[in-house]
Amino acid sequence: MNRITSTTSNRRMLNDLATAQRSLLRAQSRLSSGRELERASDGPARALAALDHRAQLRRSEQMQRNASDARGWLVAADTALTSAVQEMTRARTLVISANSGASDPNARKAIADDLRALREGLVQLANSKYLNRPIFAGNADVPNAYAPDGTYLGDDGVVLRPVAESVTLQVNRPGPAVFGTSNPGDPMSGNVFERLDAVIAAVEAGDHAAMTSALSALDEATDLIEAAQVELGARAKQVEDVAARTEILDIDRRQALSELEDVDVAQALIDVRAREFTYQAALSSAARVMQASLLDFLR
Amino acid sequence: MSSFGALTTALSGLLTHRRALDVVGHNIANVDTAGYSRRRADLTATGQSVVPALWARSTSTGNGVAVEGITRIRDEFLERQAYSAHGAASRLRVEAQQLGRIEQTLPEPSDVGLAAQLNDFWAGWDDVANNPGSMAGRIAVLQHGATVASSLNRVDAELRDLRSSALGELESLIAEVNSMAANIAELNGAVSRAVAAGLDPHDLSDQRDELVLQLSKKIGIETRPGEHGTVDVLLGGSSLVRGTKAQALQVTEPEPLGPPHAGTGLDRVEVQWAIDGYPASVRSGEAAGLLETLNEHVPRAIGELDAVAAAMVATVNALHSAGQGLDPVADVNLTFWDPAGTTAATIRISADVEGQPSRIAAAAAGAGALDASVAQQIAQLFADPAGPNAAYETMIGRLAVQTQSTARRSDIQQDVALRADDQRLSVSGVNLDEELTALIASQRAYEASARLMTAVDEALDTLVNRTGLVGR
């Protein structure tokens, strides 16, 4: 450029000052807002990654909720089944004592009453609820899984909980899979309630042969309950593991999100200082240059 | 040469340099005037006749100096370059500004944007799945759905508002362009009259050229020198101003927008010549930026938002209508979103489930009433490549990239316009140091001319009063 005119130099200076001021303001607003990405166009790729991380985080927050719900189901089932196994053990003891010693009808009647109470307790355990929903009733909308007479009211629906990305666990077992399938024709191979009914009848009748065979039938039923307990227990463990892993993943994800969205404060402070310095330098040099003119040196 | 010739020479020096001082004064006075082109007094030596006659021998050294004319110094080529640089810069500035506004309607990434609301909506379905029998989760998912719908409605309305305010801006801009064109035509008339009268039209020309520069920022123009010092202004090859005649422009909406924006139901905006209704070719300047916003940027954003709404309705309804609500007989084949509302403006919760949380289909048809497989499948839609999240991310990404790149191009083009102005002003601008130098030179020349007059006067005094005194 050959000639520098007053207007040009003024405009230039003003423009440079405005640029310096703008970049100072930008650095400062980054520092004060603490956000690197104030809008998506500040960094489209970063913004998209941040959107993705946010969606994943929200999703895994929900997964944690699902996991805690799953835990609730499994814990309720575990408590119920632990008690059920104990009850079954007690039933076995009672049958043995009825079978061996007590030939007295009154004593057998007492044992039968005991067994009847035990059966009632077992029905209550089979009707255990979580959040007011019977846990052994499948997906049926019923108040109880079993009627007092031992009839199954639920269905064979599975209750699934997605507890982590691509990990979906079944948190229930429908009643028949825990307490046995009903078989009215042959009570001894029916569900646990039918078997208990048969045992009670045998005890009352003093039928020793029936009592002996009932023992193995009860053992079979206990095994089924125990198997269910072990399986659900293993799932509870799995839920714990998965939830812990999700939490670790979340921490990493939060970190990544913060790196994408948040300002590195030290860096931003240095930026502000540097730009402040640039701005001041621009101001002072502008003030000097704009004052100088040939007029200063003319008589 | 006559005895008094030198006096005339001295007088011509005095007059001429006073004129030159006037010019310097005018320049200094206008150092900050926008559009002022500096002047230069062109001096020429006068004297010897141009065609020496036979036998006429002249020993004269000339008769001094005269102002031949006053030149307005500017480079037409650089001026025209500045017009086009300013046109392009204004267009990009307006586009970047408008895209920034479009982006502001969708504040992402944030905790309150549509993305967060979509995520809440999906998570709500898992809550329904966790406890299908409870109304709390179902009511919450209806609420989340209503929030998403009202957000889509609101953003759509904001985008349409933004477009109508851009249209208002374009209309007032075109009105301004019309009045500027009329002013330019009027000034053209004044200039040509001044030229015909032999007057100096420089100040009028400056005013007119400044107007042309302002006009180039409003609407992309080219110029062509006309007759008698006038300037013709062309818009896309047709005359906006020709001599003393100006053509008016008008804004109309002749037809609905064509593909790919036909689905938005908006009308295409066009700038036309008022005289015959032919479309004017507006390729740069603020008007072009606004036209691009009206016909491209906003309709595209609305279209993309519609795609989000359509994906939402299609994916959720497909799963939902296959499921069943709590009543396995009555609550089947229901839609969650109103199937008639597949755009961002019309999306709303369907009458099937609105206010009836128990009818939300969380269960698969035929399964137990507390089955939740459909709710869980809907919750999984957040990752569906055909789902609304994917459509929304595409939209945000596209908009962010376009906003960013337009802002960058705008910055670059502003710089180009600034350089063009520098170039232009380096020729036509006033430099005070230069003017002060010229001031001193003229002042000295004036002083010297006065001194010459004194010298001649003294010489004549010697001749008139002191000769013939020998022997007295």
Side-chain angles (χ1 to χ4, degrees), chain B residues 235-311:
Chain B
L235 176 64
S238 309
S239 298
L240 182 61
V241 177
R242 186 183 177 85
T244 59
K245 292 275 283 182
Q247 295 294 337
L249 295 171
Q250 65 188 20
V251 180
T252 54
E253 293 176 284
E255 65 202 4
L257 273 172
H261 306 311
T264 57
L266 296 167
D267 286 335
R268 192 169 64 82
V269 177
E270 187 178 84
V271 174
Q272 292 181 342
W273 296 102
I275 189 168
D276 52 11
Y278 270 116
S281 147
V282 181
R283 303 228 175 279
S284 81
E286 290 170 19
L290 286 171
L291 276 174
E292 191 71 8
T293 304
L294 289 163
N295 291 335
E296 181 62 33
H297 298 324
V298 174
R300 175 179 276 206
I302 290 178
E304 282 169 336
L305 207 59
D306 285 349
V308 174

Side-chain angles (χ1 to χ4, degrees), chain B residues 146-295:
Chain B
T147 308
V148 166
S150 82
S151 271
L152 284 168
N153 298 160
R154 178 184 54 77
V155 174
D156 182 84
E158 275 175 16
L159 287 172
R160 280 168 204 272
D161 272 3
L162 199 147
R163 186 173 189 266
S164 66
S165 79
L167 182 59
E169 225 172 300
L170 180 66
E171 273 161 356
S172 64
L173 183 82
I174 293 301
E176 208 177 339
V177 165
N178 284 340
S179 97
M180 283 169 105
N183 274 345
I184 290 169
E186 207 172 301
L187 281 165
N188 262 344
V191 168
S192 68
R193 279 195 300 279
V195 168
L199 295 174
D200 175 10
H202 294 341
D203 289 334
L204 292 170
S205 306
D206 274 348
Q207 273 181 39
R208 181 200 57 205
D209 290 347
E210 175 63 11
L211 263 179
V212 172
L213 178 67
Q214 296 307 327
L215 186 63
S216 77
K217 295 179 187 175
K218 308 265 179 230
I219 198 165
I221 49 151
E222 288 160 26
T223 61
R224 202 165 54 191
E227 292 173 327
H228 308 303
T230 61
V231 158
D232 292 346
V233 179
L234 305 175
L235 176 64
S238 309
S239 298
L240 182 61
V241 177
R242 186 183 177 85
T244 59
K245 292 275 283 182
Q247 295 294 337
L249 295 171
Q250 65 188 20
V251 180
T252 54
E253 293 176 284
E255 65 202 4
L257 273 172
H261 306 311
T264 57
L266 296 167
D267 286 335
R268 192 169 64 82
V269 177
E270 187 178 84
V271 174
Q272 292 181 342
W273 296 102
I275 189 168
D276 52 11
Y278 270 116
S281 147
V282 181
R283 303 228 175 279
S284 81
E286 290 170 19
L290 286 171
L291 276 174
E292 191 71 8
T293 304
L294 289 163
N295 291 335

Side-chain angles (χ1 to χ4, degrees), chain A residues 133 137-142 153-159, chain B residues 132-133 138 323-328 360-374:
Chain A
R133 178 171 167 191
N139 279 324
D141 186 12
V142 287
L153 304 171
D155 61 13
D156 57 355
V158 294
V159 175
Chain B
R138 291 168 177 265
Q324 71 181 20
L326 284 180
D327 181 342
I360 289 177
L370 296 184
D371 178 56
S373 50
V374 168

Side-chain angles (χ1 to χ4, degrees), chain A residues 227-247:
Chain A
Q229 189 194 7
V230 167
E231 191 193 316
L232 293 175
R235 279 206 197 119
K237 175 83 172 66
Q238 199 180 350
V239 168
E240 294 299 336
D241 289 354
V242 164
R245 214 163 43 232
T246 313
E247 237 163 272

Side-chain angles (χ1 to χ4, degrees), chain A residues 156-169:
Chain A
D156 57 355
V158 294
V159 175
L160 299 171
R161 289 287 175 267
V163 290
E165 214 44 67
S166 70
V167 182
T168 300
L169 294 180

